[in-house]
Amino acid sequence: MKITKKFLSLLLIFSLFVGVTGFIPQVKAVGQDDDETYLEDSNVTIEEDNESDAYEELEELTAVAEDSEGISSSTKGPVIIAFMNKDMGGGNGYPAGGGGIGKVRPTPKPKPTPKPKLPAKGFKSGAAGEKFLNDYVGGIGHKVYKNVRVYDHKKGKWVKEKRIVDAYVPDTKVAHESKVGYTSLSNFVRKQIDKDVALRKAGQVDGVKWHFFKSAKTGKIGATKNLREYLKKKKVPYQYHD
């Protein structure tokens, strides 16, 4: 059988067409709800609308081996310095060679720590927002609460999960939550609020407060109407930092 150049050309075009169509996966369009945006996996659901929540959700849904509460902190505790009059040999704290009581040096008052300044363009990551929040409220870093019972609207059942507080202030026992960018009332965010309310009700914290910061990547800040209404319904105060 004689193979012509035209036949070879057609065969080559057909081979290329089969190769391209056979190996390019088909992309399915995914619907997006204003208040529940998800990237679904076989084992875990990750929220997309707020960049810092993806990591938090993975942590809160992942089982941990420790049995006790864990606290992680990037800051060190205060150093206490005691000022004393040195006994120079005169006895009872008197200076040597003198008959009077030496002057007691007053303890200097600590200067108030200035509040950190917000970056004009916002924060580049959720971690940067959390660091700022800890400096702003005087927090010690993350505090982890385990087995907090809440209702999971996506699964339709009660679950026990961790709650990782972004900034915990031990002096006031207040738990602070940081959100960088525009945040919606997803299933995960709803559970975070419910966990905070459960901790407050159980007396494990004396108060909770949510903080919203601008994202340097998107230029957006704040919460959807549904999220603001849910925070008000649960009596959780919040603040916009802009």
Side-chain angles (χ1 to χ4, degrees), residues 64-229:
V64 288
E66 304 90 2
D67 294 325
S68 60
E69 272 188 2
I71 301 177
S72 62
S73 174
S74 58
T75 58
K76 296 181 179 179
V79 178
I80 301 174
I81 303 174
F83 293 89
M84 300 177 64
N85 288 324
K86 188 176 180 181
D87 187 353
M88 301 299 292
N92 297 323
Y94 294 167
I101 300 176
K103 291 184 178 180
V104 179
R105 184 185 303 173
T107 303
K109 293 182 179 179
K111 294 181 180 179
T113 305
K115 291 291 184 183
K117 292 184 179 180
L118 283 166
K121 294 183 179 180
F123 293 104
K124 295 181 180 180
S125 67
E130 290 178 13
K131 184 180 183 305
F132 175 91
L133 180 58
N134 274 281
D135 293 338
Y136 184 80
V137 300
I140 61 171
H142 288 173
K143 183 167 183 176
V144 180
Y145 296 90
K146 299 176 185 177
N147 296 321
V148 184
R149 187 171 181 267
V150 291
Y151 188 78
D152 190 315
H153 290 265
K154 189 172 180 64
K155 295 179 180 178
K157 64 179 182 179
W158 290 90
V159 295
K160 285 185 178 181
E161 296 176 351
K162 287 190 297 181
R163 174 63 174 115
I164 302 174
V165 173
D166 290 336
Y168 180 73
V169 183
D171 293 342
T172 57
K173 288 184 64 178
V174 175
H176 297 266
E177 174 68 21
S178 168
K179 295 296 182 190
V180 175
Y182 193 62
T183 310
S184 64
L185 185 62
S186 67
N187 184 55
F188 170 65
V189 171
R190 188 194 303 268
K191 283 192 296 180
Q192 282 188 309
I193 298 171
D194 292 342
K195 290 174 187 177
D196 287 349
V197 173
L199 291 172
R200 185 176 61 190
K201 185 177 180 181
Q204 292 183 271
V205 299
D206 287 345
V208 295
K209 186 174 182 180
W210 282 44
H211 302 258
F212 296 90
F213 301 100
K214 184 167 70 174
S215 168
K217 295 180 180 179
T218 64
K220 294 181 179 181
I221 181 177
T224 60
K225 181 180 178 182
N226 285 356
L227 175 52
R228 295 194 305 270
E229 289 178 348

